[in-house]
Amino acid sequence: MRQALSAFFFSVLTAGAMLLAAPAPVQAQQPADDRERLLAAQSATLGVAVRAVPGAGSANSLGRRREGSGVLVSLPGAPDGLVLTIGYLVLEAESVELITRDQRRLPGQVVAYDFVNGLGLVKPLVPLAGIRPVPLATAASLSAGDLMLFVAGGSPQQAGVVRLMDRRAFTGYWEYHLESALYTSPPLGNHSGAGLFNTRGELVGVGNLLMADVMPEGDPRQLAGNLFVPVDTLLPVLAELVRTGAHPQAKRPWLGVNAMQLGSRVRITRVTAGSPADAAGLRPGHWVAAVDGQPVLSLESFYKQVWAHGLGTGDIRLTVREGERERELQLPARDRSESVARPQGI
């Protein structure tokens, strides 16, 4: 079965995309409708070019001009489809251009930003003639070792066969956590917002990060690859996200820190200027001991304890250590969206 799929992917990829990595082809017959769906997935994957608003805080780490990918997907209430991409590409966007496979550059507008899962939705402002939206599919049926199709938009469009190595939780240093992420290999550099498709041409993941190791926890081997956000995270909140532009759970405290876990300890590595953490005197090098009096044992627990504090419930009590000294800081519980710059008039 794997050999047949390898041949099928090879035939699809060589039909019009640049092949990055694929197992050696063998002779096999595949249903024409399957081939058409995978070719449609390539057509639906667009380049995304963004210019952030002047003074955007995210420009310090992401730059003011950004490029990546997005996939035109079929969504309830959006008959012509919306472009699903990774959120950091369109964060604080002033303008968005969608780049088709034949290099047409068409305007788009950000209609939703998901601070919880890190996804974004862009509405094409003119019809994407000749491009059909692709359906979303759950990643629940995927297993380690499955072959998947990776497609990145832009110029030139890139595509390749990757293998699913693992599904597990992921905690990012920037106040970010996924209960389940998709880890694939080989590593692909043009991953931001790229589409990860199953053998039926359905979108199952959106490209997020390049990873030094994607092997399952406990496996002594190391293998570089990518992390994809599964679209499963989007499906339960899709209607609300399209209707309001925000994830229903996005109203939660934001500190404005980067942090890392060392053993069972959490250390602050960066503090955003003007953030609640900055105002309270939290500094790089501080070790986080407790949130609201409850011990912090991991990076995941740190973020979840902060989010559980909620908004409108007074300051967050953060116990920190600096050398032998321990003290308590009072951090205002502020919503992340309050610190996001927006285009004039929006």
Side-chain angles (χ1 to χ4, degrees):
M1 180 63 175
R2 291 248 172 99
Q3 285 182 327
L5 289 175
S6 298
F8 181 34
F9 278 133
F10 184 85
S11 66
V12 171
L13 291 167
T14 54
M18 186 176 76
L19 182 64
L20 295 182
V26 297
Q27 295 299 317
Q29 296 295 321
Q30 295 293 336
D33 56 345
D34 282 353
R35 178 184 174 85
E36 289 173 2
R37 280 194 291 265
L38 285 170
L39 289 173
Q42 289 181 277
S43 177
T45 303
L46 310 169
V48 178
V50 175
R51 185 177 71 243
V53 298
S58 59
N60 294 329
S61 56
L62 298 171
R64 192 177 172 207
R65 292 186 178 273
R66 308 160 196 171
E67 291 189 2
S69 305
V71 182
L72 185 68
V73 294
S74 176
L75 298 177
D80 296 327
L82 294 174
V83 176
L84 178 61
T85 185
I86 198 67
Y88 58 74
L89 282 181
V90 297
L91 180 62
E92 299 182 303
E94 178 181 58
S95 65
V96 180
E97 279 190 317
L98 303 173
I99 307 168
T100 65
R101 191 174 177 183
D102 58 4
Q103 299 308 299
R104 287 176 291 152
R105 301 180 75 96
L106 306 172
Q109 181 181 40
V110 179
V111 296
Y113 188 96
D114 177 2
F115 279 113
V116 174
N117 300 307
L119 298 171
L121 286 171
V122 175
K123 178 182 179 180
L125 295 181
V126 296
L128 296 176
I131 303 175
R132 298 199 318 268
V134 297
L136 303 178
T138 177
S141 61
L142 299 177
S143 301
D146 284 353
L147 295 176
M148 318 280 299
L149 179 67
F150 159 93
V151 185
S155 177
Q157 189 181 70
Q158 296 177 312
V161 175
V162 295
R163 193 179 299 276
L164 181 65
M165 305 308 297
D166 196 19
R167 288 190 302 165
R168 63 176 184 272
F170 171 78
T171 303
Y173 58 82
W174 61 96
E175 299 182 62
Y176 179 67
H177 177 76
L178 288 172
E179 290 297 336
S180 179
L182 304 175
Y183 296 78
T184 66
S185 191
L188 301 155
N190 191 15
H191 56 267
S192 299
L196 184 68
F197 299 89
N198 62 20
T199 58
R200 295 180 298 277
E202 299 165 326
L203 184 70
V204 295
V206 177
N208 191 347
L209 295 170
L210 187 67
M211 304 288 293
D213 185 20
V214 295
M215 296 300 287
E217 292 181 352
D219 193 315
R221 299 170 296 172
Q222 287 195 338
L223 186 65
N226 294 95
L227 181 145
F228 286 81
V229 181
V231 299
D232 302 56
T233 62
L234 190 68
L235 295 173
V237 298
L238 192 53
E240 183 74 5
L241 194 62
V242 172
R243 186 178 69 85
T244 67
H247 192 290
Q249 297 172 9
K251 295 288 185 181
R252 63 189 188 187
W254 167 74
L255 302 182
V257 300
N258 291 354
M260 63 183 298
Q261 181 175 330
L262 297 171
S264 60
R265 305 174 71 195
V266 172
R267 188 172 190 263
I268 301 298
T269 59
R270 182 178 177 272
V271 176
T272 302
S275 66
D278 185 36
L282 191 63
R283 296 292 178 259
H286 282 161
W287 296 88
V288 182
V291 174
D292 291 334
Q294 297 300 311
V296 168
L297 302 177
S298 68
L299 192 60
E300 178 182 345
S301 71
F302 172 41
Y303 294 153
K304 287 184 174 180
Q305 286 166 246
V306 169
W307 297 333
H309 178 93
L311 298 172
T313 55
D315 290 347
I316 301 168
R317 293 184 295 114
L318 204 65
T319 306
V320 299
R321 295 192 182 99
E322 186 176 17
E324 299 298 320
R325 183 185 176 199
E326 185 174 291
R327 60 189 177 122
E328 187 173 280
L329 304 177
Q330 304 288 326
L331 278 71
R334 189 194 305 171
D335 181 358
R336 174 71 175 96
S337 64
E338 295 176 6
S339 302
V340 173
R342 291 175 173 82
Q344 188 173 2
I346 295 181

